[in-house]
Amino acid sequence: MRRLLCWIAGVLLIPGLPGGAQAVPADGALIARAQQPEAIALGRSARDLFGPWKFHVGDDPAWAGAGFDDTHWESVDFHVAGDPSDPDPGTSSLAPGWTSQGHPGYYGYAWYRLRLNVQGTGEQLAIKMPDAFDDAYQVFVNGQQVGQFGHFGTRREWAYPSQPRGFPLPAHVRNGPVTIAIRMWMGSASRFSGPDAGGLHGPPMLGSAATIGNQVELDWDSINRELGSGFLETLVLLLALCVAAAHYSLDRSDPAYLWLSLVSLVTLLGNLILQVGNYTMILSSTVVLLSRDVLLTPLRIGIWILFFASWFGLRLSRRLLWPTGVLVGLLAIGTLMLRPPLHGLIVPLSFAAVLTPALLWIKLALAGLLFWVSYKGIREERAEGWLALPAILLAVAANYQHELRLAHVRVQYAVLGYNVSLGQLSTMLSLLLVTLLGSRRFLMSQRQKLQYRLEVEQASELQRVIIPSEMPQVPGLRIDSEYRPSRDVGGDFFQIIPDSSDGSVLIVVGDVTGKGLRAGMLVALIVGIVDTAVKEEPTPDRVISAINESLCGRGYATATCIAVKIRSDGLLVATNAGHLPPYINGRTLEMEGALPLGTLSGLSYETVEYRLQKGDVITLITDGVIEAQDEHGELFGFDRVCDMVSAHATANAIASAAQSFGQEDDILVLRIECTVSY
């Protein structure tokens, strides 16, 4: 009769019935005798708890209790033929999970229970959980929770990359009966990670707290040797980022430094996310996986392409930006479809047969785009391109680890006891090499800029010497000038050359093509020609012709110029070569047009004459006054100039008005006022 009552009690206590209903035991003594605990002697050692464990899917807080009857739960054993220390869940060397043990497709909560009779220890006990599990757990001893890994919230749970964990048992739990209950949770997407996912993939370990602590330290040491090279990679990435950012802050003209900063930053973020995920419980497994695989990896490949395009001076046109952006986007979307939580839940598992080869071809297309950029760069840059080729090959190796495995290339190495991947080595070497090349380019650029600055200073000093800063005193004339170059070295010039033999004065005003140093050197050349021509025959047409003949044949050397001679009797004689005609009392002097100087040899230039009177004002300007424009693109224009010269505005007033309106080019204003009657 007692056996029958036991059997009835056991049947009524089958857990997992709809609604979580459980029967109250009819006879607690019978149940206790039916669950004989395993006797283990520990002392100061530790022991793997292979089982058999009791297992049941579902969830009920009562299952943590020491008095709960689990006799009718199924039994699982963690003995395996292979090595149970392998950290990858779902592999053949680990204990299979519940999906391959009669619960295919199941996800959510499940429980493991084990009853022990601990003997021979006087020290505090601790339990170490296996490193391989899916996905989170809580550990209970005699109904009391002693630890957990993962986040168990009221609305949802979070899993984290596995880490070694040991939990001390309550101080009073030493010798005697011990009931261990482990509450497991697996996310819906993890069931698709392998054919034997779910739950624990190895045995927990029970032993003295000191021994368990040492074992946890050994496991962390193993992880450090597995991931420690990532810290060296982080230092290299920080170095590359700081150097590239410093170069870009000092030289914004070269966008390659900006792209190098971005590729270093993206790679550094991926590395930090991995380190934070493996050493802390800040980022969940899903965040680590999606941020690295879906976002950062495709982005890093695309930025490498744009970096090398900028490095070789290739224009980032739509021809390059569009295919790069499209391929990066497709790679990110395709990878997202093969990762949890989409894969298996929203995207059917059968899609992997199509998506996997498609993603391979997309990555190969990105590699082809990178090699096309490299080919263009090497063809155009030659030596600079060949120097960058090793960095390009290393960048490819760093971003194509999976593809190299498919080609049976070894990608893992042991260096001084630490595991180092080919990707890490390639990343560090490529960024170090690119950083060195970038520093070399930066120093060369700075040297060239310094040399150019010295040349500009010398040219500017020469220009200050050859362009008069003080107006010569000419009887009967009041001369006022205002010169405001748009750069350190301007392309406008003027010369005022009095002739003491007849009381006349020759005024030459011009504007050479181009800007900067070359324009300044051309101004110096023209001024020298003017000085020589004046000594031979100081007439406007002869001076203009002399300049034209000297400039012809020099290719780049062209200029507009006007020469005006004012004689002592008030006669003004002017010759123009493509320059703006002078204003006399607010009206332009009618002159025939002519080609600029240096355009065609053998030209003859016409002269015009004008009889000056007392009070007449002659104003000579360059096109920098007319072409000044505001932020809306409106020109200062001829009308404003006419209004100002008609109002007898000073040279300073005209130049200031044009400059404040919006200077675009060199501004030169020369004003001559007749102060005597002729």
Side-chain angles (χ1 to χ4, degrees), residues 33 163 178 199 229 283 295 314 393 433 441 519:
R33 284 198 296 270
Q163 300 172 16
V178 175
S229 57
L283 302 176
L295 179 62
L314 304 180
L393 297 176
L433 183 56
R441 172 183 283 193

Side-chain angles (χ1 to χ4, degrees), residues 189-428:
S190 297
R191 55 184 163 151
F192 306 112
S193 62
D196 54 359
L200 299 176
H201 294 281
M205 178 183 290
L206 183 67
S208 69
T211 303
I212 293 297
N214 292 335
Q215 187 61 48
V216 170
E217 289 183 6
L218 287 175
D219 285 359
W220 274 117
D221 182 68
S222 178
I223 291 178
N224 291 336
R225 292 183 178 277
E226 185 75 25
L227 303 175
S229 57
F231 292 101
L232 177 61
E233 184 183 7
T234 299
L235 292 177
V236 173
L237 291 169
L238 280 173
L239 173 64
L241 175 61
C242 293
V243 173
H247 287 168
Y248 182 68
S249 65
L250 295 173
D251 185 6
R252 300 292 181 91
S253 63
D254 193 345
Y257 300 131
L258 174 61
W259 292 113
L260 180 57
S261 301
L262 291 176
V263 77
S264 301
L265 178 61
V266 169
T267 310
L268 177 63
L269 285 176
N271 193 278
L272 290 176
I273 288 173
L274 181 63
Q275 301 295 337
V276 170
N278 281 286
Y279 285 94
T280 69
M281 293 178 63
I282 298 175
L283 302 176
S284 69
S285 300
T286 302
V287 171
V288 172
L289 187 66
L290 295 183
S291 60
R292 283 175 55 84
D293 290 3
V294 176
L295 179 62
L296 297 178
T297 296
L299 190 61
R300 183 173 65 244
I301 297 175
I303 295 176
W304 268 118
I305 295 172
L306 299 180
F307 162 70
F308 282 112
S310 297
W311 177 266
F312 292 127
L314 304 180
R315 193 166 63 92
L316 297 181
S317 62
R318 291 185 177 181
R319 185 180 178 186
L320 179 62
L321 291 175
W322 272 102
T324 303
V326 169
L327 290 173
V328 167
L330 289 175
L331 181 60
I333 294 172
T335 305
L336 178 63
M337 296 173 69
L338 289 179
R339 298 292 186 272
L342 296 186
H343 187 55
L345 295 178
I346 299 176
V347 180
L349 294 177
S350 58
F351 276 38
V354 176
L355 288 174
T356 301
L359 292 179
L360 175 61
W361 283 107
I362 291 173
K363 288 193 73 174
L364 292 178
L366 284 168
L369 199 56
L370 177 57
F371 282 121
W372 176 79
V373 167
S374 306
Y375 167 75
K376 294 274 291 184
I378 291 174
R379 192 177 67 176
E380 294 183 11
E381 296 291 332
R382 299 293 182 183
E384 193 78 10
W386 287 110
L387 284 175
L389 183 59
I392 296 171
L393 297 176
L394 288 168
V396 171
N399 291 282
Y400 287 81
Q401 293 293 285
H402 177 68
E403 291 70 24
L404 290 174
R405 288 193 195 96
L406 296 178
H408 303 289
V409 176
R410 183 183 177 188
V411 296
Q412 292 290 338
Y413 302 90
V415 179
L416 300 177
Y418 288 88
N419 291 330
V420 182
S421 70
L422 180 61
Q424 291 174 319
L425 289 173
S426 301
T427 298
M428 290 186 287

